[in-house]
Amino acid sequence: DIVMTQSPLSLPVTPGEPASISCRSNQSLLHSNGYNYLEWYLQKPGQSPQLLIFLGSDRASGVPDRFRGRGSGTHFTLEISRVEAEDFAVYYCMQSLKTPYTFGQGTKLDI
Amino acid sequence: QITLKESGPTLVKPTQTLTLTCSFSGFSFSTSGVAVGWIRQPPGQALEWLALIYWDDDERYSPSLKSRLSLFKDTSKNQVVLTMTNMDPVDTATYYCVKGIRAFTIWGQGTMVTVS
């Protein structure tokens, strides 16, 4: 199985400030077709997760442009340019290159 | 509008078999490229991918749970059924139904299953 490791697991942030979450895999997620099969999900308290970023850097429909996915191969980052109150939640990375798809441990963004 | 909704028992006893149904609307398995999967989340813990079934009847399972899982899709009813045998308290979790082959664009509301 591909192991996904997120850091930090907890990230204190002040509203209006930027935030960055790291996600590393123990195998490259770069497919021969040139795409990185890495997704980012956001889970707000009491809610189902929702897709933020797919293919490493493509924003899902309706996702604000303050969210940016970067990286390739084995190291990826999710950047939030200016954190807003609604962004305080848990963020997960997931690899979809090979089954079983695997998630990181989650990063809690809090004040 | 695409929606998915999970249904099934909220409480099962150890060693019993869990059967969960995902009922969906807004898409069909008759369309190429469609897949529905299951993901679970124990209380306070991370997400865990369980299984995926494709429009062409291909199925993929988590190797660690493969011997206990099975999927069935009912194209006429727009449903996917997940069965998990020999339930254990460690299987207590919220079980989510999801749409997508790789990126899961739509999630169900989830159903909490307690094994006790």
Side-chain angles (χ1 to χ4, degrees), chain B residues 3-4 6 14 24-25 34 45-47 49 60-61 70 74 79 81 109 114:
Chain B
T3 63
L4 304 98
E6 308 85 350
F24 58 85
S25 63
V34 168
Q45 297 185 40
L47 301 162
W49 180 86
R60 303 294 169 89
Y61 296 95
S70 65
D74 189 329
Q79 291 181 335
V81 176
Q109 64 188 23
T114 300

Side-chain angles (χ1 to χ4, degrees), chain A residues 1 31 37 39 41 43 47-51 53-55 92 94 96-106, chain B residues 6 39 41 45-49 52 54 60-64 96 100-110:
Chain A
D1 298 3
H31 193 279
Y37 285 98
E39 287 77 48
Y41 294 90
Q43 186 174 31
Q47 296 186 18
S48 303
Q50 58 189 86
L51 179 67
I53 303 288
F54 62 98
L55 297 178
Y92 294 95
M94 185 196 86
S96 60
L97 180 67
K98 302 177 185 177
T99 60
Y101 297 162
T102 45
F103 290 89
Q105 316 96 303
Chain B
E6 308 85 350
I39 291 168
Q41 185 175 37
Q45 297 185 40
L47 301 162
E48 179 184 14
W49 180 86
L52 198 59
Y54 299 81
R60 303 294 169 89
Y61 296 95
S62 171
S64 63
Y96 295 100
I101 291 181
R102 295 184 187 265
F104 301 124
T105 53
I106 308 293
W107 294 60
Q109 64 188 23

Side-chain angles (χ1 to χ4, degrees), chain A residues 68-86:
Chain A
R68 180 177 182 181
R70 305 182 69 172
S72 182
T74 62
H75 187 207
F76 300 85
T77 58
L78 176 68
E79 299 175 349
I80 309 174
S81 58
R82 293 175 306 280
V83 174
E84 297 191 3
E86 63 187 22

